[in-house]
Amino acid sequence: MTQAPAPPRATRRQHDREILALAVPAFGALVAEPLFLLADSAIVGHLGTPQLAGLGIASALLGTAVSVFVFLAYATTAAVARRVGAGDLQAAVRQGMDGVWLALLLGAGVIAVVLPAAGSLVDLFGASPTAAPSATVYLKISALGIPAMLVVLAATGVLRGLQDTRTPLYVAVAGFVANAALNVALVHGAGLGIAGSAWGTVAAQWGMAAAYLWVVVRGARRHGASLRPDLAGIKASAHAGVPLLVRTLSLRAILMIATAVAARLGDAEVAAHQIILSLWSLLAFALDAIAIAGQAIIGRHLGAGDARGARDACRRMVEWGIGVGIVLGVLVIAARPVFLPLFTGDSTVTDTALPALIVVALSQPVCGVVFTLDGVLMGAGDGPYLAWAMLVTLAVFTPVALLVPVLGGGLTALWGAMTLMMVLRMATLWLRTRSGLWTVTGATR
């Protein structure tokens, strides 16, 4: 951020109200999403170990297939928020419809790839002969829900851009309840086994997509926006999403490299790494909620031509990110004696995880800044810079992480490398926000 006087107390309070109004429901929706897998795991787990293992493999493949398209939410949020700020709600909703059409097209393409290749993908993942059949069945059926999952991403972006994070929370909670009920009824009631779990999840996903489409279509009709696919608009949405796709793939590559390095350290290390990575991901939900608020608020300010307001909001959100990061770090340190035994009774794994967990706790304020500024620049539509910054981070992290098994230090050193990665991300994002180059105003960037 360029240097500027701190905003008056009344302005800070206004920013606080906006941040909380958007971030709290967003956090609830984010937490509800992994509960789908948790419910499926709890229900399928009673069928047997092969079925649960198959679910884990198929869910990992599905998660990867969907997560690379998270730009549908991010890019749509920024584009819609800008038009809201400019006072053109018709164009805002029209932009959102373009994102939804793009989601449907991408979803159809993913189905065309996943369905015929399901068995090969499962084998490539290294599934055992007993788990592979369950994984293949679940993957083939669940692939039918991928277009719905992508529509949910795009429609969530529309509503966030319209400064509405409550509706996604309500839809996510309803989807979780429906998913759990359908899984119980189809897996055990109808005796369909793991196939019932997949069909229940697909039905819940399409139900969520239908709910979102009803809300978005109603908004389009209210503001006189066309519902027909617009090729130019769909191309523009895809073009805006490409840099964010590069960013997301780079981040996933970092996480995969970290897991591969942990596996080379030994069984206790990779087990401890998985526990810590799960916690790290959970903590990310709280920080990502602030980032989501940032996407919506910054896009609106810049669309309205209010660069100063965008900078003031950015400053306040960074303060929130640091504060929440400090709180999360303290909670991790305080809860570590209770947290680790929940996942393992192996003292070797616990002893290995403990020092690395402290590193994670100490890094949370840094993570708070990173997530916040990431959301700010997404809201500004600064995707190309985010892509290049993430590629630079990947290039630096990779050799550092690969040296961990050579130089020693074990899992603690690996998470030290992860912290270095976050520090580097913070530096690149901070330099960009200080430059002021991201404060491009107007209905489009």
Side-chain angles (χ1 to χ4, degrees):
M1 289 170 292
T2 54
Q3 290 294 334
R9 181 175 298 180
T11 302
R12 292 199 300 271
R13 287 177 177 172
Q14 180 181 352
H15 288 318
D16 290 345
R17 287 193 294 270
E18 285 188 327
I19 293 167
L20 286 171
L22 291 170
V24 172
F27 174 68
L30 289 169
V31 170
E33 291 174 11
L35 291 180
F36 268 78
L37 179 57
L38 185 63
D40 287 1
S41 299
I43 295 166
V44 170
H46 290 285
L47 296 174
T49 300
Q51 289 86 346
L52 184 58
L55 172 65
I57 293 167
S59 296
L61 289 166
L62 288 165
T64 299
V66 173
S67 65
V68 297
F69 298 113
V70 73
F71 68 83
L72 288 167
Y74 294 158
T76 304
T77 298
V80 171
R82 274 186 175 269
R83 287 162 175 78
V84 168
D88 192 347
L89 290 178
Q90 183 185 66
V93 178
R94 174 66 262 178
Q95 180 71 42
M97 286 303 305
D98 292 336
V100 171
W101 280 112
L102 176 61
L104 286 169
L105 290 173
L106 291 173
V110 175
I111 284 181
V113 172
V114 172
L115 275 182
S120 299
L121 290 171
V122 168
D123 292 338
L124 185 64
F125 213 81
S128 68
T130 54
S134 295
T136 303
V137 167
Y138 191 92
L139 182 58
K140 283 185 174 181
I141 296 172
S142 294
L144 301 176
I146 289 176
M149 296 165 76
L150 299 189
V151 166
V152 167
L153 285 176
T156 299
V158 176
L159 295 178
R160 289 173 180 171
L162 294 170
Q163 317 296 296
D164 176 10
T165 56
R166 291 183 179 273
T167 299
L169 172 61
Y170 301 148
V171 174
V173 171
F176 167 70
V177 173
N179 177 65
L182 286 168
N183 267 258
V184 171
L186 295 176
V187 172
H188 298 295
L192 296 180
I194 194 168
S197 176
W199 283 118
T201 300
V202 167
Q205 288 164 346
W206 276 107
M208 292 173 66
Y212 275 118
L213 288 174
W214 180 77
V215 172
V216 173
V217 168
R218 187 179 63 171
R221 289 174 174 170
R222 183 167 62 249
H223 297 296
S226 173
L227 298 175
R228 295 180 179 178
D230 176 64
L231 184 59
I234 294 172
K235 285 183 177 179
S237 295
H239 183 265
V242 169
L244 296 180
L245 175 62
V246 172
R247 168 204 167 273
T248 300
L249 290 174
S250 299
L251 180 57
R252 290 197 69 86
I254 286 172
L255 298 178
M256 290 174 64
I257 290 169
T259 300
V261 170
R264 293 175 62 186
L265 296 175
D267 290 347
E269 284 78 5
V270 73
H273 174 75
Q274 187 59 38
I275 293 170
I276 295 172
L277 186 60
S278 298
L279 175 63
W280 192 78
S281 300
L282 178 63
L283 298 173
F285 286 129
L287 299 173
D288 204 28
I290 302 174
I292 288 169
Q295 294 170 30
I297 293 171
I298 295 299
R300 191 192 72 227
H301 276 296
L302 293 178
D306 184 10
R308 173 62 187 272
R311 288 192 294 269
D312 289 344
C314 176
R315 180 200 298 270
R316 191 57 177 162
M317 282 184 282
V318 168
E319 293 171 354
W320 269 91
I322 294 171
V324 172
I326 292 172
V327 172
L328 292 176
V330 170
L331 288 176
V332 169
I333 292 175
R336 69 188 189 281
V338 178
F339 173 76
L340 290 174
L342 291 176
F343 290 86
T344 180
D346 188 333
S347 60
T348 303
V349 175
T350 302
D351 293 342
T352 301
L354 187 58
L357 198 59
I358 294 174
V359 173
V360 170
L362 294 175
S363 70
Q364 287 309 296
V366 173
C367 294
V369 176
V370 170
F371 276 81
T372 300
L373 294 182
D374 207 36
V376 165
L377 296 183
M378 283 184 191
D382 207 8
Y385 181 84
L386 290 173
W388 283 110
M390 204 67 219
L391 286 171
V392 169
T393 302
L394 173 61
V396 174
F397 171 79
T398 301
V400 173
L402 294 178
L403 282 173
V404 168
V406 178
L407 299 179
L411 191 65
T412 303
L414 176 59
W415 276 95
M418 289 286 286
T419 300
L420 174 64
M421 177 269 292
M422 294 302 289
V423 170
L424 181 57
R425 287 187 69 190
M426 182 177 69
T428 57
L429 297 173
W430 186 258
L431 287 172
R432 184 64 168 182
T433 52
R434 281 186 63 86
S435 73
L437 296 175
W438 58 281
T439 54
V440 178
T441 58
T444 59
R445 184 180 173 89

